[in-house]
Amino acid sequence: MVLTYLKNRYGKIYNLTMGEEKELQETIILDHDKDDLNRMLNRVEGSINIAKDSQTLNVQPFSFFMVLITAFSSATVGLVAASITMFNSFIGKYLDDKEIKKDEILNMMNSIDFSPIFQSVAKSIAVPFIIVFFAWLMFYWRSTAKIDKRYSVYVLLKECIEDYEKVKDQMEQIEEY
């Protein structure tokens, strides 16, 4: 891999100041001929294209998130409907024709606690959501950092090829004196 080769040979190769980058360019030009620079540029460009092709992996977690949100919404609606149906049948079966006051209905509703069911559904949806989100976030940061480095090396090599003749001519003039 070109990035590893350049890093091992020249040390820090990205996030350089303009002066440091110019010195690195001159050193790379002096150490390699134009064909070597073109080969390295082609390899870096190929690795950038491969990284672009794998960008579809960044979209996959969103599909998973949409499924989780749909499942959570369906489960919540189902639980609410089941709760209302159960409460309605409870009132119809046990209280039948008795007249009930508003306070008694509120007390009955408060006595039936559905929060453990809702909590377990929320946890079963939230835990995979959080795990997938953080795994995706780590993957995204890692892949983005690699692509940024590849682009910086791509630009560096492209500038080396552009300045190749100028630097070689300057070095020949210096050697003549």
Side-chain angles (χ1 to χ4, degrees), residues 55-155:
Q55 288 295 323
T56 56
L57 294 175
N58 289 340
V59 179
Q60 295 304 322
F62 292 111
S63 300
F64 184 73
F65 295 152
M66 291 297 111
V67 169
L68 282 177
I69 290 169
T70 303
F72 181 70
S73 300
S74 298
T76 303
V77 168
L79 286 173
V80 168
S83 302
I84 291 172
T85 303
M86 188 179 98
F87 188 70
N88 191 21
S89 67
F90 174 74
I91 289 176
K93 184 174 184 179
Y94 293 107
L95 302 177
D96 208 14
D97 294 333
K98 296 179 186 174
E99 195 168 310
I100 305 170
K101 296 179 184 172
K102 184 178 179 182
D103 292 336
E104 291 174 344
I105 291 175
L106 288 175
N107 286 336
M108 283 191 309
M109 287 179 73
N110 289 337
S111 67
I112 301 173
D113 186 19
F114 291 104
S115 61
I117 297 170
F118 287 114
Q119 287 174 358
S120 64
V121 169
K123 287 176 185 175
S124 67
I125 299 297
V127 170
F129 182 85
I130 291 169
I131 291 170
V132 169
F133 178 75
F134 281 113
W136 171 79
L137 196 60
M138 296 301 289
F139 170 77
Y140 178 76
W141 281 340
R142 195 173 128 247
S143 65
T144 303
K146 285 183 178 183
I147 290 173
D148 289 347
K149 291 175 185 177
R150 289 176 186 146
Y151 270 115
S152 65
V153 171
Y154 175 78
V155 170

Side-chain angles (χ1 to χ4, degrees), residues 5 9-10 25-33 36 168:
Y5 165 74
R9 184 153 184 180
Y10 301 107
Q25 283 179 358
E26 290 174 359
T27 307
I28 290 173
I29 290 171
L30 295 174
D31 290 348
H32 300 89
D33 62 12
D36 291 338
K168 285 292 187 177

